[in-house]
Amino acid sequence: SRSGSKVQYCFYLFSDILFYATKSTMGRLTVHRCIKLKTSQIIDDSTSESFQIISPKKSFNICADNKEEKQIWLNDLLEALSNLEKRNNTNTDREFLAPIWVPDNATSKCTICSLNFTPIRRRHHCRRCGIIVCAQCSQARAYLPHIASTPVRVCSRCESEAETSTSMKIVTNTKLKTKNATLSKSTI
């Protein structure tokens, strides 16, 4: 979870998708997200019981109960990816992937300006790189179609990369609202 605490999810793997859900006290499932395997990556942290799933809309760490359970999941996921690629006779499309967010409790300061967070200076996550920043260091909004259909918060570093890169497919859109006018800055 964002706070760094462990949340227990139920995972269900099909031939081309993985979805995860939580169980209520009544035994009902609440599905949180359905992840298309063809656009995902699986990264093994060989030193622990965890691994990462990186996908366009959501990326996260998964912690298995033990290394044996982790290995079973990794084998099944990698086999599903391999079978999917064979069926489609193509490589998967993994150009744009969502970052794994730094947990809120991992830092008490903005990653960019190093100012302490307070009840007034709040934490925000850059949707492009996942770092924790203050509002001042994340004023830009970028259109990241693999994450959302509307512009999302990005940090000033990602905004700078978008402005200096010719190959980056990110549209930065910062809007400053005043009482009588809206000023807009756009960069491709």
Side-chain angles (χ1 to χ4, degrees), residues 2 20 22 28 40 48 52 62 75 80 89-90 117 119 122 127 129 149 155 177 184:
R2 282 181 59 175
Y20 64 96
T22 52
R28 298 184 80 181
S40 301
S48 71
Q52 296 176 337
I62 296 180
N75 291 343
N89 199 19
T90 183
F117 292 116
R122 302 190 54 186
R127 302 310 194 267
C129 68
S149 59
C155 69
K177 292 189 178 184
S184 182

Side-chain angles (χ1 to χ4, degrees), residues 2 117 122-127 131-135 138 153:
R2 282 181 59 175
F117 292 116
R122 302 190 54 186
R123 291 171 170 84
H124 300 280
H125 284 88
C126 174
R127 302 310 194 267
I131 65 171
I132 298 176
V133 291
C134 66
S138 62
R153 182 183 299 272

Side-chain angles (χ1 to χ4, degrees), residues 19-30:
F19 76 86
Y20 64 96
T22 52
K23 276 189 181 177
S24 70
T25 54
M26 302 296 288
R28 298 184 80 181
L29 288 178
T30 301

Side-chain angles (χ1 to χ4, degrees), residues 29-87:
L29 288 178
T30 301
V31 175
H32 291 277
R33 192 159 315 257
C34 180
I35 298 167
K36 293 178 183 177
L37 291 179
K38 75 175 191 169
T39 58
S40 301
Q41 284 182 332
I42 311 301
I43 300 173
D44 181 14
D45 176 4
S46 58
T47 62
S48 71
E49 290 83 20
S50 68
F51 61 95
Q52 296 176 337
I53 295 181
I54 312 293
S55 74
K57 294 215 179 271
K58 180 80 173 175
S59 298
F60 47 90
N61 288 312
I62 296 180
C63 298
D65 289 334
N66 54 56
K67 288 190 178 190
E68 293 78 26
E69 181 183 17
K70 170 192 160 183
Q71 197 58 49
I72 291 168
W73 269 102
L74 281 175
N75 291 343
D76 289 348
L77 285 163
L78 294 173
E79 182 181 353
L81 279 169
S82 175
N83 290 338
L84 189 60
E85 287 177 358
K86 286 177 192 172
R87 266 196 322 272

